[in-house]
Amino acid sequence: MKITKIELSHISIPFAKPYKLSRTYGTLHEAHAVIFKVHTDEGIVGLGEADPMSPFTAETPASVMTVTRDIIAPHLMGQDPRRIAMVESTLDEIIDGNLTASGAVNMALYDIIGKTNNIPVHNLLGGMRHDKLPLLFGVGSGTPEETIAVIAAQIETGCRCFMIKMGALPIADEIKRLVAVKEQFGDRVSIIIDANQGWEVTEAIEFIDGIHAHRPDLIEQPIKRWDIDGLKRIRDRCSYPLSADESVTAVSDAATLIREKAVDVFSIKISKNGGLDKSRQIAQMADGFGLKCLMNSMLEFGITQAASLQLGCTLSNLIDLGHAYGSVLRMSDDITDFGQNISEAVVTVPPASGLGITLDEKKLKKYTTDYLNLK
Ligand SMILES: [Mg+2]
């Protein structure tokens, strides 16, 4: 089997409602991705998705398309897609970083092997441990009343785990939000606080000291990605787990965070981390050192979400909270049928082969703003 062609489509789909994140990321109105269709001489087409989001990632949709056209695709043409490890090694040699681009290729190759052998991708990753996972719902920035209203509406759907986005408001206001949520819902809900790098170390400590008994279940990436020493200071102050998201991108980042004992949990995102193999490697390193994993997501569509579910369902060290498989519910539309796996705030692993999803070609065309056909 040989790779014969790669199609790239930059898509843009509006959110159902604008999503207000930390002051680092602002308020978002639409999500962008680059969809990869990797063709083979046997007619099997593998699907991949790159989810760059500046400044979360150094990449942009345009850079994903350029690096794929100029460097990745010329090395992939004629290669056997079943030799994933060799392709990974080659890509690691010819490009630095660009993990969402190489990650999309990695997803597509797994999709090809799964479809060729008529098995789901999780069978290639050690097999399924969890046939279902509870959903985590991301709550954007807002007043205490708005935050409570969003959570109350999601509780009606069955959701019990929420990631409250912070980092856009003064610390005193963020403390009021968490206290209001805890007083309203108590132990009926699990709460993750994610400041998306929006705080200084002193602000994070002010928050931790200020919430007293209203402790969340997890606090994620309060400060800048590079501030490992700051993460250690915050972890020392916390009586609950601290998670790295932006800080754990490359496999080498995971090694550094483990060595420095900087965090308790890794937020795994298949696109951010460079595909299924690198994400799995990070998750297994975490397991070896007693860290847990949160299956998290970029603002992504059904292909990356499906890849994430194929890996997440195999892991032995998932944290006992919800996981981010509701990204497509935040969008006004998706280019796949991944959403059909979600019911009552639970995602079920689909039985279909490959990544387990179907691409809607009409929708792909409708939302495409830029296209490359690489042969
Ligand atoms: Mg995060």
Side-chain angles (χ1 to χ4, degrees), residues 270 276 295-296 300 304-313 325:
I270 305 299
L276 285 160
M295 294 310 291
N296 208 332
E300 65 199 31
T304 307
Q305 286 270 280
S308 176
L309 185 56
Q310 294 291 335
L311 176 65
C313 77
Y325 292 114

Side-chain angles (χ1 to χ4, degrees), residues 56 163 165 194 196 220-221 245-246 267 269 296:
F56 190 112
M163 173 178 274
K165 294 293 183 179
D194 184 6
N196 276 120
E220 177 161 293
Q221 200 69 51
D245 182 358
E246 287 91 329
S267 251
K269 298 178 176 175
N296 208 332

